[in-house]
Amino acid sequence: MQDDIRAASRFYASRPGENTAHLLRQRLQAFWPDTGTDRVLGLGYTLPYLPLWSRPAAGLCVSGRLDTHVTRDAPRDIGPATRDCVVAEDRLPFPELHFDRVLLVHALETTDRPDDLLRSVWKVMKDDGRLLLVVPNRSGLWAHSDGTPFGQGAPFSPRQIARRLSRAFLRAERHDGALFLPPIGAAHRRIAATVEAVCHMVLPGLGGVFVVEAVKDVYAGVPAATPALIRAPRRIYEPG
């Protein structure tokens, strides 16, 4: 069965994967154009996107690949400036209230424990932290394509995302759409970029993925604590 799984590392090593990352990076950067010296945590498979905020003068960026068939494998070259490890969704090995921003890509749809993952995110985010979440649109073509990691898990509707966030004491503040062409269209970067720009203005709700920014609802309650566990670390993480 694992032969049918499209691992994120293999997808992003391909030309369509590179073009997809290019398109999605533009949308993510529109949400967070500059994170300054904020500490950024990427969960799921975020290695193609963290370079947006891991410049030399920027704050700490950490990649936590979820221990799933889609996100577990690492690319051949991660890069010397990236801190990377494999983590369990319900026991993140980071201090509480440690990160200013958390990015989730190939995370909520690939895990069997999405509620536990979001509760863990709540705990490691600062009280004024921000979460940026990318999930496949259940009505979009990307969610039904086996050739990309976006088609490997459970897609979501906007209402489902809002309910998940609410249960984890997170509140959605902004949302957008991205990846408007069918997956096969990502092989042609210029065409895809043009269609992306036009559809984003005309049909923003019909993207293949949703991009949602959320904040902590600090007055809603505190999730139950769970012990931390790290699996198969690639590099040792030291809070700094």
Side-chain angles (χ1 to χ4, degrees):
M1 182 175 178
Q2 293 186 25
D3 293 338
D4 298 329
I5 293 174
R6 185 65 166 174
S9 60
R10 294 197 300 272
F11 173 70
Y12 286 110
S14 67
R15 178 60 62 85
E18 292 176 356
N19 293 344
T20 299
H22 174 75
L23 294 173
L24 195 48
R25 278 195 296 266
Q26 292 179 327
R27 192 64 55 230
L28 297 178
Q29 194 164 34
F31 277 83
W32 293 350
D34 183 11
T35 58
T37 58
D38 286 356
R39 292 173 174 172
V40 181
L41 170 65
L43 294 173
Y45 192 90
T46 59
L47 290 167
Y49 306 104
L50 286 180
L52 285 171
W53 309 293
S54 60
R55 297 179 296 275
L60 175 71
C61 279
V62 179
S63 161
R65 287 176 287 113
L66 291 185
D67 192 11
T68 75
H69 295 310
V70 177
T71 57
R72 183 184 304 121
D73 294 342
R76 293 181 179 179
D77 183 16
I78 290 180
T82 302
R83 302 190 183 190
D84 175 72
C85 58
V86 176
V87 299
E89 59 267 72
D90 59 332
R91 296 182 296 274
L92 298 181
F94 309 113
E96 293 187 7
L97 304 175
H98 189 62
F99 291 97
D100 302 278
R101 300 173 189 256
V102 180
L103 171 69
L104 266 64
V105 185
H106 306 304
L108 206 62
E109 72 273 19
T110 63
T111 177
D112 294 328
R113 308 175 72 176
D115 290 331
D116 289 340
L117 172 61
L118 289 176
R119 292 189 187 103
S120 297
V121 167
W122 194 97
K123 282 181 273 188
V124 300
M125 280 175 58
K126 292 183 178 179
D127 286 341
D128 60 348
R130 308 195 76 84
L131 167 66
L132 197 55
L133 174 66
V134 178
V135 293
N137 176 3
R138 67 180 301 175
S139 301
L141 295 175
W142 287 76
H144 304 285
S145 172
D146 293 336
T148 83
F150 292 106
Q152 303 299 314
F156 293 86
S157 69
R159 183 174 298 179
Q160 289 172 327
I161 298 171
R163 283 202 300 263
R164 293 278 185 188
L165 291 172
S166 178
R167 286 203 295 263
F169 313 118
L170 295 160
R171 184 179 69 254
E173 287 199 335
R174 292 194 293 166
H175 68 275
D176 207 344
L179 304 183
F180 293 89
L181 268 181
I184 191 172
H188 309 283
R189 178 173 291 194
R190 290 185 179 179
I191 296 175
T194 301
V195 173
E196 190 80 5
V198 172
C199 290
H200 181 257
M201 291 187 295
V202 179
L203 302 168
L206 298 182
V209 300
F210 295 119
V211 183
V212 181
E213 187 180 33
V215 296
K216 271 190 173 183
D217 192 349
V218 294
Y219 300 106
V222 180
T226 53
L229 174 67
I230 185 168
R231 299 179 183 176
R234 186 175 179 85
R235 292 186 185 139
I236 296 176
Y237 171 76
E238 297 178 355

